[in-house]
Amino acid sequence: MPVKIGIVLPTFYGGAYEDNNPTLPRLTEFAQKCEAMGFDGLWVIDHLVVAPPIYRTAWLEPLTVLSAIAALTKRVKLGTSILVTPIRTPSILAKTLGTMDYLSGGRMILGSGVGWWDQEFEVSGVPKKERGERTEETVDIVHKLMSGPNISHDGKYWKFKDITMVPRPVQKHIPVWYAGGSAQGHANDVYTPQVERVMRRIARQADGWLSRAVTNPDLMKKDWSMVQKFAKEYDRDPKEITFAHLNLVCLTEDSDAKKEEGYKRLAKISNMPKEDVLADYMVGPRKEILARLDNLVELGVRYFVLWPTGFDYPLLDWLKETVLHRYDKVA
């Protein structure tokens, strides 16, 4: 299958450019440019509050942004990368996603994750220790409520009988792409991932896996093998699961000084150690970025969610010219 490219909307305050103010006119221009260029999707990041262990920035509320962008675009898919799912009420999330899919003509993807930042659970009144189970049950409920009339559910956290919710989505099944997996460096300490459980969740429930940026190809390869193995245990064809990868991208000229400038730009977004930023994120000259993308495609990635460091139109131009159709004939 051809490798597809999605772009993260720069919905964060501050970041790599001092004037990165994500107003609706700026987001509209950027989104419509991405659609016109032929990119597959537009993605938004979610953090309810500022999360300083990893990020220096704050984001706009993702579903609000995607609702606005849905009205201003026609073709591109609209995805969350990712939505911190356990702090959402399942019925309200189902209603919101169903309405968004209905109004957008069937373009929604729910990128879902369990979250990690303590303050988001504290302010939401949700025990962090319940995040995995709540996420799985929430996804089940969303699918049930969007499937037809008179739905009942008897779970650990929610119970209801004979509930009918409309409008139903245009898609019979809103795709769910779970994020997570092995991490390295500082991120491994912050996320403390339960890798096998995450991979089993993906194999059992997900339509796609959004592998994290703060990892390495060896860990990704190991995790993807686990997903494929577990999928077969659940009587699923692994080919039903899209292997996707999210990463920050910052193009620089090929010199140590320019690479340092690129790192400093990324450091205004990321609160990670320098060695982790340079190891994990895609910062460097075009030939190095392309080699990393080629390597990940060889590993099995079939969808890239590429995250600009701001309203970076030169990056979009390069991606369109060099990357967008580079992998069209990949098996």
Side-chain angles (χ1 to χ4, degrees):
M1 58 179 290
V3 178
K4 297 180 180 180
I5 310 293
I7 303 295
V8 174
L9 286 171
T11 60
F12 50 90
Y13 284 90
Y17 304 100
E18 299 302 329
D19 66 342
N20 196 78
N21 184 12
T23 63
L24 184 57
R26 296 187 80 184
L27 290 169
T28 299
E29 180 183 13
F30 196 82
Q32 291 177 337
K33 180 77 169 179
C34 290
E35 181 171 60
M37 284 181 158
F39 293 106
D40 182 75
L42 295 168
W43 297 76
V44 289
I45 290 172
D46 176 32
H47 266 298
L48 185 63
V49 299
V50 178
I54 293 289
Y55 300 115
R56 300 182 190 275
T57 55
W59 278 269
L60 300 178
E61 198 286 314
L63 297 181
T64 305
V65 172
L66 287 183
S67 295
I69 297 302
L72 300 165
T73 54
K74 297 179 180 179
R75 175 194 57 81
V76 284
K77 294 182 178 65
L78 305 166
T80 53
S81 180
I82 54 83
L83 195 74
V84 183
T85 303
I87 63 174
R88 264 77 182 189
T89 302
S91 58
I92 296 174
L93 180 59
K95 182 72 171 184
T96 303
L97 291 172
T99 300
M100 292 172 68
D101 198 71
Y102 171 80
L103 292 175
S104 68
R107 293 189 278 149
M108 290 299 302
I109 297 175
L110 172 59
S112 173
V114 300
W116 56 270
W117 180 221
D118 295 352
Q119 288 187 348
E120 292 185 322
F121 293 92
E122 179 184 350
V123 75
S124 302
V126 175
K128 185 179 178 182
K129 65 181 180 180
E130 299 174 356
R131 58 182 178 160
E133 291 179 331
R134 282 181 175 269
T135 296
E136 293 168 7
E137 190 171 344
T138 295
V139 168
D140 281 340
I141 291 172
V142 167
H143 285 324
K144 284 181 179 180
L145 289 173
M146 292 293 95
S147 67
N150 303 316
I151 300 299
S152 298
H153 177 81
D154 186 5
K156 182 174 181 178
Y157 298 104
W158 294 277
K159 302 178 189 297
F160 52 82
K161 291 183 179 181
D162 298 328
I163 299 297
T164 298
M165 186 175 286
V166 291
R168 296 195 187 97
V170 172
Q171 300 177 92
K172 292 182 179 179
H173 171 92
I174 294 177
V176 172
W177 293 15
Y178 273 130
S182 300
Q184 67 173 356
H186 174 65
N188 190 51
D189 297 329
V190 172
Y191 294 136
T192 58
Q194 299 179 40
V195 178
E196 180 174 338
R197 179 168 182 178
V198 173
M199 298 300 108
R200 285 191 176 277
R201 181 182 299 127
I202 293 161
R204 185 175 64 255
Q205 283 188 308
D207 303 285
W209 171 41
L210 276 161
S211 56
R212 66 171 83 250
V214 283
T215 187
N216 63 57
D218 289 338
L219 292 174
M220 288 175 63
K221 184 177 181 180
K222 181 180 178 181
D223 287 354
W224 181 233
S225 295
M226 292 174 66
V227 170
Q228 293 174 302
K229 174 179 177 290
F230 295 149
K232 292 175 182 177
E233 290 183 12
Y234 296 124
D235 294 323
R236 294 191 65 193
D237 184 349
K239 293 180 181 179
E240 297 175 357
I241 303 171
T242 300
F243 183 0
H245 180 65
L246 166 72
N247 213 315
L248 269 160
V249 183
C250 179
L251 299 178
T252 73
E253 298 302 319
D254 193 3
S255 71
D256 290 342
K258 292 298 182 182
K259 290 180 182 179
E260 181 67 16
E261 288 180 12
Y263 158 70
K264 290 179 179 178
R265 185 177 296 172
L266 281 171
K268 292 182 178 179
I269 299 171
S270 172
N271 204 22
M272 292 169 55
K274 180 177 180 179
E275 59 270 21
D276 288 355
V277 170
L278 295 177
D280 299 330
Y281 296 147
M282 296 184 182
V283 52
R286 289 157 179 77
K287 63 181 181 181
E288 291 184 11
I289 303 301
L290 202 57
R292 291 189 65 171
L293 293 170
D294 287 348
N295 182 45
L296 291 169
V297 170
E298 183 71 19
L299 199 67
V301 172
R302 292 298 178 264
Y303 198 111
F304 287 106
V305 179
L306 300 180
W307 175 5
T309 55
F311 293 93
D312 191 346
Y313 288 98
L315 173 63
L316 294 184
D317 290 336
W318 179 75
L319 290 172
K320 179 181 183 297
E321 294 167 4
T322 309
V323 180
L324 186 58
H325 297 292
R326 182 178 179 85
Y327 311 110
D328 283 354
K329 296 182 180 180
V330 171

